[in-house]
Amino acid sequence: MKSTTLALLYIVVCTPIPWLAGSYLAEARLNADEPQPTPLPAGELGRVIELGREIVEHTQDHPLSKPYVGNSLNCTSCHLDAGRHPHAASFIGVATAYPAWSPREKRVVTLQDRTLNCFMRSQNGMRPPVGSEVSVAITAYITWLSTGQPIKQNPEKPLGPNHTPDLAPAKGNIESGQALYAEHCASCHADNGLGSEDGPPVWGDQSYNDGAGLSREAKLASWLKVAMPQDDPYLSDQQAFDIAAFVNSHTRPKFRLSEHLPEPDRLGQYNAE
Ligand code: HEC
Ligand code: HEC
């Protein structure tokens, strides 16, 4: 008797759970605030996605990406939590926006193009060939982070649905930014901005170049607003602009496109055996 009651109870209590779990997963995939619960696809595709995540986290050291990196940053230095941060240059949902119009390139660009351009600017390095192992692995990983989300190609800019929210335009004050930097940032990024074991360089030779998104004051301010200080961003909009003005008042590598493009025959490669 007792065991039948228990069995019945089990059926009543537990039957809806798989259904509930299913709908929770479906919803969570659409919600950028949740970590992506999607399991990796089986086989070689899953392996390549995992490889892409590793490269995003260890870009300056990974043997596949190292030859194309010109500073001591990794993709995850700005695309926090390997791109899974909900707001700080989030990769979640990004694949749904491409191919997208790029006012900077004056072209419709693919997700692969966009990824490779970050190597030339934010990573101050060389553009890896289209279809190379490093390029395919990173874009496979970023695409996987859009699992379950509807395609919505962006006709205005190469940005996904969870891109860093813009702030109302303002002008930063370098002097006030200097004091704020000393108080809120120097403990990890060092007084001289060249970084420490607690934070990467924010200016100088080993930082992003002046063609990178973050070299624009408004972009850096909006990113700082949601990203820094690490794990506890609390700056006001004006403080974010002041610090951005101060950080970007320092020297960093100059971007000259020709220095970041490989020989023409290395621009792309046939993506098959
Ligand atoms: C110095 C900081 C920095 C580094 C390093 C960096 N990026 Fe970015 N990247 C950005 C910013 C800022 C944006 C603009 C995104 C935003 O505003 O949300 C961006 C945009 C992108 C986008 C388009 C996102 C979208 O919403 O459509 C992709 C894809 C991308 N980066 C890939 C990479 C990859 C791959 C690497 C490593 C090889 C990398 N980035 C390294 C700062 C960086
Ligand atoms: C507790 C340490 C810490 C503090 C404080 C901190 N950061 Fe960071 N910051 C980091 C780390 C670590 C990263 C790289 C993130 C990663 O790899 O996950 C980073 C990344 C960055 C980046 C992008 C990568 C680069 O180096 O260009 C910028 C810009 C930046 N921080 C600026 C600031 C500013 C400005 C402040 C002050 C408002 C600040 N940070 C406060 C630790 C810190």
Side-chain angles (χ1 to χ4, degrees), residues 76-108:
T76 196
S77 303
C78 308
H79 299 281
L80 297 184
D81 194 17
R84 289 164 302 187
H85 187 285
H87 311 297
S90 182
F91 283 159
I92 295 179
V94 156
T96 66
Y98 292 85
W101 170 250
S102 168
R104 184 172 70 189
E105 316 293 342
K106 298 191 180 56
R107 283 285 166 88
V108 169

Side-chain angles (χ1 to χ4, degrees), residues 190-205:
D191 284 328
N192 63 8
L194 304 183
S196 74
E197 55 186 29
D198 294 320
V202 287
W203 63 77
D205 286 356

Side-chain angles (χ1 to χ4, degrees), residues 59 73-75 78-79 89 91 94 98 111 114-115 118-119 122-123 138 142 158-160 163-164 208 214 219:
T59 324
L73 299 181
N74 303 306
C75 311
C78 308
H79 299 281
F91 283 159
V94 156
Y98 292 85
L111 176 57
R114 182 68 157 109
T115 297
C118 249
F119 272 95
S122 294
Q123 298 281 168
I138 293 176
I142 296 177
L159 283 179
H163 68 85
T164 314
Y208 52 87
L214 291 191
K219 185 55 112 181

Side-chain angles (χ1 to χ4, degrees), residues 11-23:
I11 291 168
V12 171
V13 172
C14 300
T15 307
I17 284 180
W19 177 82
L20 268 179
S23 73

Side-chain angles (χ1 to χ4, degrees), residues 177-203 228-232 234-235 243 246-247:
Q178 179 167 18
L180 290 164
Y181 179 88
E183 189 181 341
H184 302 284
C185 321
S187 58
C188 294
H189 294 287
D191 284 328
N192 63 8
L194 304 183
S196 74
E197 55 186 29
D198 294 320
V202 287
W203 63 77
M228 290 291 137
Q230 201 197 19
D231 298 330
D232 180 25
Y234 52 69
L235 302 173
I243 298 177
F246 172 68
V247 167

Side-chain angles (χ1 to χ4, degrees), residues 5-147:
T5 321
L6 270 180
L8 265 175
L9 203 76
Y10 176 81
I11 291 168
V12 171
V13 172
C14 300
T15 307
I17 284 180
W19 177 82
L20 268 179
S23 73
Y24 163 76
L25 287 185
E27 237 169 56
R29 261 180 229 143
L30 298 177
N31 180 356
D33 291 324
E34 299 287 339
Q36 293 295 292
T38 320
L40 280 175
E44 186 61 7
L45 177 57
R47 188 193 67 79
V48 169
I49 290 171
E50 186 65 24
L51 173 65
R53 189 189 52 76
E54 260 174 60
I55 297 171
V56 162
E57 285 178 347
H58 307 286
T59 324
Q60 57 179 311
D61 297 318
H62 196 286
L64 287 177
S65 46
K66 194 181 164 87
Y68 304 106
V69 172
N71 59 22
S72 43
L73 299 181
N74 303 306
C75 311
T76 196
S77 303
C78 308
H79 299 281
L80 297 184
D81 194 17
R84 289 164 302 187
H85 187 285
H87 311 297
S90 182
F91 283 159
I92 295 179
V94 156
T96 66
Y98 292 85
W101 170 250
S102 168
R104 184 172 70 189
E105 316 293 342
K106 298 191 180 56
R107 283 285 166 88
V108 169
V109 299
T110 62
L111 176 57
Q112 199 174 170
D113 287 321
R114 182 68 157 109
T115 297
L116 300 183
N117 288 344
C118 249
F119 272 95
M120 298 195 292
R121 296 163 183 270
S122 294
Q123 298 281 168
N124 192 37
M126 294 298 280
R127 193 179 202 269
V130 171
S132 56
E133 198 177 357
V134 60
S135 176
V136 171
I138 293 176
T139 41
Y141 168 66
I142 296 177
T143 303
W144 173 71
L145 288 176
S146 299
T147 303

Side-chain angles (χ1 to χ4, degrees), residues 71 73 78 104 114 117-118 120-124 171 174 201-204 207-224 240-241 243-256:
N71 59 22
L73 299 181
C78 308
R104 184 172 70 189
R114 182 68 157 109
N117 288 344
C118 249
M120 298 195 292
R121 296 163 183 270
S122 294
Q123 298 281 168
N124 192 37
K171 187 90 196 87
I174 296 182
V202 287
W203 63 77
S207 186
Y208 52 87
N209 66 36
D210 70 0
L214 291 191
S215 73
R216 283 182 289 125
E217 188 175 313
K219 185 55 112 181
L220 178 56
S222 62
W223 183 88
L224 291 174
F241 271 98
I243 298 177
F246 172 68
V247 167
N248 281 345
S249 71
H250 294 87
T251 53
R252 56 182 67 261
K254 292 245 169 302
F255 177 71
R256 284 181 212 90

